Amino acid sequence: MSQSTDPSVPADPDGGPAAQIAAGYAITGPALDLGALLWDGTCLPDRQIRIPLSMLNRHGLVAGATGTGKTKTLQLIAEQLSTNGVPVFLADIKGDVSGISAPGTDSERVRERATDVAQDWQATGYPSEFYSLGGIGPGIPVRATVTAFGPVLMSKVLQLNQTQEQSLGLIFHYADTKGLELIDLKDLRAVVAFLVSDQGKPELKGIGGLSTVTAGVILRALTAFEQQGASEFFGEPEFDTSEFLRTAADGRGTVSVLELPAVQDKPQLFSTFLMWLLADLYTDLPEVGDLERPKLVFFFDEAHLLFNGASKAFLDSITQTVRLIRSKGIGVFFVTQTPKDVPADVLAQLGNRVQHALRAFTPDDAKALKATVKTFPNSPYDLEELLTQLGTGEAVITVLSEKGAPTPVAATRLRAPQSLMGPIDAAALDRAVKGSLLYSRYAEPVDRESAYEKISAEQAAAEAEAEAAAAAAEAEKQAKEAQKAARGAPKPDPSLAQQVVGSGLFRSLARSIGTQLGREISRSLFGTARRKR
């Protein structure tokens, strides 16, 4: 491990830069203990590196190459936050964070690490709740309605371009104005399908700026999205994100773990869903300003997935959320491989940094390394060399002091987590999920009347009305044709009676014979009864 070769910088670890660095972490109030200072290859257990609890809502970044210990750093910070009564949200991408609920396993390696950093290590499990997206995989189902998800986030998961995103916004607006609730994906698909149908095209023109072609693209994207199994994530009961703010009976903060291994193949979806959770918290929580301790610390794992291919509107929304959610008492830590994965406007909001080792095997790696070094304050370390030499469980740290100023850059050997460093077994996880008081509240999906049912009913009524009108028109046509046929038909041959009555002999007889016999013949021929004398 190298330090600066600048002759103006003292090399004495007792009275030189090491002491100056440690002085920047001499925090008087409540703080999290991250580890011990590393200087010139030596771990100094009396030089503790800490982060003020009150600065956790100023956001942060945990970065480093795969296998350098990022997940264990999350676990370490989450444990101490819970101990201090602060709820935590963690996204478990690989399925190895569930162990935070169980006591850790003592070992020679753990004891060695504890001795190095002056840690009083005690195996401890922490109060935890386990969630899953839409009930896919183990966990309490977390669902969102399509309306709550909104057009910007939906455009991200559908991978729409900017024009299509704007068009989707118009479709959401149309649904709102018509009272069509968008609960699940079939609701949104029904609205789009209606707008491109013959019946709905006049409505489409009224929206303005939405073409039939674009609506068709959105409809196809939705259909493909549903075929990937995404329908499970949208619906009711919608998850109340305030559940993440709970504390246990003993006062410790609850650690909410979102289990994502079952949806690892849907990175666009779960990363965007994490953003919805954060945005929902921002929308619902009141302004509180700076607190002695945050209401919640939210760890956003695999953050690069969130920003890949993001539209300008999406990035603007993220930046605004991160900038303003601090005043709601929420701290956000983005977890990724290099700081360059995070847009500059977002990175500028992250006051606390834990940078694990980086690799420099390729020209692109070397370029990323140089870019990372430039994001740190001036330091007595040779950071470009140091960042390639850090061991597993070591990191370069700078945080905000109690006064809000950046602390000196400190190479640090991190403490060992006190909970299980690995997953709990499947049976234990299942018991924890089904034993939760929240399970009965969110487990069973509800499908009430919404846009799909309303549009289907209206279309069925319209079809029935059209069929009735067509049947009436057909009946009227047939009646007219019958009347026309009747007028043009030949007259039928006269009956025997008609021939007799119409004959000249009968007419002559009727005129000349006025006798009783004549009258009787006449009556009997017309069927009238003979009157009695």
Side-chain angles (χ1 to χ4, degrees):
M1 183 174 299
S2 296
Q3 60 194 55
S4 172
T5 56
D6 186 341
S8 65
V9 178
D12 182 3
D14 293 324
Q20 295 171 14
I21 292 170
Y25 294 88
I27 297 164
T28 58
L32 308 186
D33 296 308
L34 300 180
L37 180 67
L38 286 168
W39 179 259
D40 201 20
T42 302
C43 184
L44 307 175
D46 59 329
R47 312 289 194 187
Q48 290 292 306
I49 304 302
R50 313 176 75 207
I51 177 171
L53 193 60
S54 60
M55 290 293 110
L56 266 297
N57 71 333
R58 301 300 180 92
H59 311 320
L61 175 72
V62 178
T66 300
T68 55
K70 297 191 299 295
T71 301
K72 300 301 179 286
T73 297
L74 303 189
Q75 197 166 336
L76 171 67
I77 296 175
E79 289 176 355
Q80 295 193 53
L81 286 167
S82 175
T83 300
N84 283 276
V86 178
V88 179
F89 173 89
L90 293 171
D92 187 7
I93 306 294
K94 298 184 291 293
D96 53 4
V97 181
S98 59
I100 198 168
S101 63
T105 303
D106 194 4
S107 67
E108 183 178 349
R109 186 175 179 181
V110 168
R111 289 194 297 272
E112 182 181 349
R113 174 58 62 98
T115 300
D116 283 349
V117 299
Q119 178 185 6
D120 180 19
W121 189 91
Q122 296 179 1
T124 309
Y126 295 83
S128 303
E129 293 278 10
F130 299 97
Y131 301 93
S132 64
L133 286 188
I136 296 181
I140 299 163
V142 175
R143 302 181 186 89
T145 64
V146 170
T147 294
F149 209 67
V152 175
L153 292 175
M154 186 61 71
S155 297
K156 180 69 165 59
V157 297
L158 294 178
Q159 301 182 43
L160 303 180
N161 61 31
Q162 184 175 352
T163 299
Q164 293 159 356
E165 177 182 322
Q166 293 170 348
S167 297
L168 186 61
L170 292 174
I171 293 171
F172 271 71
H173 175 70
Y174 171 80
D176 289 341
T177 56
K178 296 296 183 179
L180 298 171
E181 292 183 274
L182 303 177
I183 304 298
D184 50 27
L185 286 181
K186 72 177 185 296
D187 289 325
L188 181 56
R189 181 164 46 81
V191 172
V192 181
F194 169 73
L195 289 173
V196 297
S197 68
D198 292 339
Q199 185 181 353
K201 284 181 181 178
E203 300 284 333
L204 192 66
K205 293 180 181 179
I207 296 177
L210 178 61
S211 71
T212 305
V213 173
T214 300
V217 171
I218 295 171
L219 183 60
R220 289 192 293 273
L222 274 172
T223 301
F225 192 45
E226 284 185 295
Q227 290 173 346
Q228 295 170 11
S231 299
E232 301 291 336
F233 309 123
F234 298 94
E236 291 181 324
E238 185 175 73
F239 187 74
D240 183 352
T241 52
S242 66
E243 308 284 12
F244 295 150
L245 305 178
R246 296 182 303 120
T247 55
D250 60 5
R252 291 185 297 172
T254 298
V255 181
S256 298
V257 182
L258 183 63
E259 294 292 335
L260 296 173
V263 292
Q264 285 189 74
D265 60 336
K266 299 178 177 63
Q268 289 280 353
L269 177 65
F270 72 68
S271 62
T272 310
F273 217 97
L274 292 178
M275 192 64 219
W276 171 75
L277 294 174
L278 194 59
D280 193 70
L281 284 165
Y282 167 73
T283 302
D284 289 348
L285 292 176
E287 295 277 344
V288 293
D290 289 326
L291 303 173
E292 292 184 0
R293 61 183 184 185
K295 287 185 174 182
L296 172 73
V297 175
F298 191 105
F299 288 93
F300 209 123
D301 205 357
E302 300 292 341
H304 64 281
L305 298 173
L306 180 70
F307 302 111
N308 286 348
S311 67
K312 183 179 184 303
F314 186 75
L315 292 176
D316 289 345
S317 297
I318 295 174
T319 304
Q320 182 181 22
T321 300
V322 173
R323 181 182 294 122
L324 300 178
I325 203 170
R326 177 180 68 82
S327 63
K328 305 292 184 85
I330 305 295
V332 183
F333 274 70
F334 290 97
V335 185
T336 188
Q337 293 195 2
T338 71
K340 73 180 183 63
D341 292 334
V342 181
D345 288 345
V346 176
L347 193 63
Q349 309 298 318
L350 312 182
N352 303 298
R353 301 275 300 279
V354 180
Q355 176 67 60
H356 287 269
L358 291 174
R359 310 302 182 209
F361 299 141
T362 68
D364 286 343
D365 291 341
K367 185 177 180 181
L369 175 62
K370 291 181 180 294
T372 298
V373 169
K374 291 179 180 179
T375 63
F376 280 92
N378 291 332
S379 166
Y381 295 100
D382 181 350
L383 289 179
E384 193 167 333
E385 182 178 351
L386 174 61
L387 286 173
T388 62
Q389 296 179 350
L390 291 170
T392 301
E394 297 177 346
V396 171
I397 293 174
T398 178
V399 301
L400 295 179
S401 69
E402 290 171 300
K403 295 181 179 180
T407 59
V409 176
T412 307
R413 180 163 295 164
L414 298 167
R415 293 186 167 215
Q418 298 186 135
S419 57
L420 183 64
M421 289 187 281
I424 59 175
D425 64 78
L429 180 57
D430 186 64
R431 287 194 300 271
V433 171
K434 293 182 178 176
S436 170
L437 296 176
L438 300 179
Y439 185 75
S440 61
R441 189 178 306 172
Y442 296 106
E444 292 299 323
V446 177
D447 189 11
R448 62 184 175 88
E449 185 184 58
S450 49
Y452 173 80
E453 288 78 13
K454 291 178 180 178
I455 289 175
S456 297
E458 289 178 3
Q459 288 179 331
E463 289 174 3
E465 185 178 343
E467 289 177 2
E474 181 64 22
E476 184 178 355
K477 178 181 177 183
Q478 291 179 356
K480 289 181 178 179
E481 289 178 352
Q483 291 176 2
K484 181 178 179 182
R487 287 195 299 269
K491 294 181 180 180
D493 294 334
S495 66
L496 177 60
Q498 290 172 326
Q499 291 177 20
V500 172
V501 172
S503 67
L505 174 62
F506 180 85
R507 289 196 296 272
S508 175
L509 182 63
R511 285 194 302 268
S512 61
I513 303 175
T515 64
Q516 181 65 35
L517 178 61
R519 287 193 294 270
E520 289 177 358
I521 293 174
S522 179
R523 284 196 296 270
S524 64
L525 288 176
F526 290 103
T528 57
R530 181 184 294 178
R531 285 186 295 179
K532 294 181 180 180
R533 284 185 178 267

